[in-house]
Amino acid sequence: MGELAEQLRRELDRYPPGGKLPSSRALVERFRVSPVTVSRALAQLAAEGLVVTRPGAGAFRARPHETPAPAGDTSWQEVALSADGSPDVAPRTVDASGVTVSLAAPQPGVLEFSGGYLHPSLQPERALAAALARAGRRPGAWGRPPLEGLPELREWFARGIGGAVTAAEVLIAAGGQPALATALRALAPPGAPVLVESPTYPGMLALARAAGLRPVPVPVDAEGVRPQLLADAFKASGARVFVCQPLFQNPSGAVLAPGRRAEVLHIARAAGAFVIEDDFVRRLGHADCGPLPRPLAADDPDGVVVHVSSLTKATSPSFRVSALAARGPVLERLRAIQVVDSFFVPRPLQEAALELVGSTAWPRHLRALAAELKARRDAMTAALGLHLPALAVPHVPSGGYQLWVRLPDGTDESALTAAGLRAGVAVTPGRPYFSAEPPAPHLRLSFAAVAGTGEITEGVRRLKQACDEVL
């Protein structure tokens, strides 16, 4: 066996790395040895790392072990990434933690009170599948769409805004987040202040900071942004942009009061500023919400409002179809930035959106969703009142998918969030929703990302367990 192994070792150079050696039968006949001797010789070479044997396939010359390349030195990037070029430009460090909390899937067995999208049981999966199938068969569905979007889809979004907004003033975008990014880049140069509601959506704060902008908070109460504080913030900061969610604001759920709507537009117009209206959950009204107020853009003849709306929240996180609407010269700037960034939204997705919103399944889905969201909201509110009366819910919204919960003074949000995970429920701390120091500790609790009211009741029970540990 040793002589045979030595002979095969000397002959290995005849075969390329990975090349196949003669079969065991051929080696038996050539060297006139027994099959056992051949097997032992090959096993010896395999133990030395020279041969790889594969049952049923044979023996192969092993590939040489590659020496890993030495690790590079990336420390130079710290200098490059911190070199902003101007002392007036805010650092563009991107903190996505407030966004990833609502995007990351929880560990198995953890109930998701942190999610920002509908649970699969609430998504119109069959209607979406049918719409995609029909869209793929439309004539020209796989061709290049108009850069601004399909005319029919632009018209549909324009009708949803109302007022005098026309299809020509609408651009189709690939989701609300990219649309907000386009609007911020179009309206504010790096280093500029931008007014934001306080509290507000962490994803918008991350977008602003990534663009080198400086978020300036304007407090919100149960009736939306406070106009006098908005006017004061414009005056003090010199900002030319205000980002707001007038309908079912995230996270507070507030709706901008009728008496404040015209005042907000007047204040912005007087400051020579734009209002970015993030109308993200217009299609997530609850069954008891009544008639919804019109978007701010519907009552804006002067082009103050840049309107963002989306289909994503009412359908699926993967159905990323949205719209930007604006009047005046800013529309061309929005269009140019969007084209440079993404060219256009894929035509099959736009065709599928048209198929979906034009189907009889669409209004049925919205009605069923409204009823289910109300039931979930009521279940969560009742469970909190029963099990956690120390947690205040100052405003119960009639739309959207979350409750904004006030914690007792001094509560450590991070500790409570960690305790919640140990108890099997994921919650969102309030700190990421503030661009400055928060006035009090909060939690945002989503009731849309779990399977149903049973999981809501169980999730609140687990949250009580966490509160008992921390509070």
Side-chain angles (χ1 to χ4, degrees):
M1 185 270 289
E3 294 180 0
L4 178 58
E6 180 60 28
Q7 181 66 31
L8 292 177
R9 192 180 292 111
R10 289 196 299 268
E11 295 182 0
L12 279 179
D13 287 340
R14 298 181 183 180
Y15 309 99
K20 186 176 181 181
L21 275 63
S23 67
S24 294
R25 178 177 296 179
L27 293 175
V28 167
E29 294 177 355
R30 176 185 170 190
F31 293 102
R32 297 184 180 280
V33 294
S34 70
V36 173
T37 299
V38 170
S39 296
R40 288 178 176 175
L42 291 174
Q44 174 64 33
L45 296 182
E48 296 174 7
L50 300 176
V51 168
V52 175
T53 57
R54 300 172 187 163
F60 302 81
R61 181 182 175 185
R63 298 182 184 275
H65 293 291
E66 296 184 0
T67 303
D73 180 6
T74 61
S75 58
W76 65 271
Q77 293 186 6
E78 295 185 40
V79 177
L81 292 173
S82 63
D84 299 311
S86 169
D88 298 326
V89 177
R92 293 190 298 154
T93 302
V94 180
D95 180 5
S97 58
V99 182
T100 54
V101 165
S102 62
L103 294 177
Q107 294 296 318
V110 176
L111 298 180
E112 188 176 4
F113 281 2
S114 57
Y117 294 102
L118 300 180
H119 187 270
S121 64
L122 296 179
Q123 297 173 18
E125 290 185 345
R126 293 179 61 183
L128 284 169
L132 283 167
R134 293 193 302 269
R137 297 191 296 268
R138 283 189 166 204
W142 296 93
R144 183 175 60 197
L147 297 180
E148 299 84 358
L150 297 180
E152 302 91 339
L153 189 56
R154 297 168 72 194
E155 175 62 35
W156 184 83
F157 274 107
R159 289 198 303 271
I161 298 170
V165 176
T166 67
E169 296 165 331
V170 173
L171 304 173
I172 301 303
Q177 190 78 350
L180 287 171
T182 296
L184 285 171
R185 287 180 58 197
L187 302 178
V194 56
L195 304 188
V196 299
E197 294 173 314
S198 183
T200 192
Y201 165 52
M204 197 282 301
L205 294 176
L207 281 175
R209 289 170 177 144
L213 305 177
R214 295 185 291 109
V216 177
V218 184
V220 170
D221 62 20
E223 296 187 334
V225 68
R226 297 169 60 182
Q228 185 56 56
L229 294 181
L230 177 64
D232 293 343
F234 271 125
K235 183 177 180 180
S237 68
R240 292 294 179 266
V241 179
F242 169 50
V243 186
C244 65
Q245 295 175 330
L247 185 64
F248 308 134
Q249 197 256 1
N250 182 12
S252 71
V255 176
L256 187 61
R260 295 185 181 183
R261 292 167 54 87
E263 195 173 358
V264 166
L265 293 179
H266 174 75
I267 290 169
R269 180 70 180 86
F274 289 95
V275 173
I276 300 176
E277 178 184 23
D278 183 9
D279 201 19
F280 72 117
V281 286
R282 180 160 292 272
R283 296 167 187 88
L284 263 61
H286 302 168
D288 59 351
C289 71
L292 298 179
R294 304 198 316 171
L296 292 180
D299 299 320
D300 168 41
D302 299 329
V304 172
V305 178
V306 173
H307 178 89
V308 177
S309 58
S310 174
L311 285 170
T312 304
K313 289 294 187 184
T315 54
S316 159
S318 290
F319 199 66
R320 307 200 62 76
V321 179
S322 65
L324 273 164
R327 289 175 170 169
V330 71
L331 182 64
E332 179 53 34
R333 184 180 293 189
L334 292 165
R335 175 185 178 276
I337 291 176
Q338 181 167 290
V339 169
V340 169
D341 281 351
S342 57
F343 291 175
F344 48 76
V345 178
R347 182 162 187 157
L349 198 56
Q350 295 190 55
E351 298 280 8
L354 280 171
E355 289 285 353
L356 176 68
V357 300
S359 70
T360 56
W362 179 241
R364 288 201 304 270
H365 164 64
L366 293 181
R367 287 194 297 270
L369 182 59
E372 181 64 22
L373 288 175
K374 177 184 180 301
R376 288 164 175 246
R377 178 204 68 194
D378 291 346
M380 180 172 279
T381 304
L384 289 172
L386 178 63
H387 299 293
L388 288 167
L391 274 57
V393 184
H395 175 66
V396 178
S398 58
Y401 53 87
Q402 80 281 337
L403 295 179
W404 184 235
V405 177
R406 171 72 154 80
L407 300 173
D409 289 341
T411 301
D412 185 331
E413 293 178 357
S414 297
L416 182 55
T417 302
L421 288 175
R422 290 193 295 272
V425 59
V427 297
T428 307
R431 180 64 185 90
Y433 291 81
F434 294 91
S435 60
E437 291 76 10
H442 291 82
L443 289 182
R444 195 199 71 161
L445 304 179
S446 168
F447 46 78
V450 291
T453 55
E455 285 197 355
I456 289 173
T457 303
E458 172 60 18
V460 172
R461 187 194 67 77
R462 296 182 186 184
L463 181 58
K464 182 182 187 304
Q465 180 180 337
C467 289
D468 290 342
E469 176 184 335
V470 172
L471 299 183

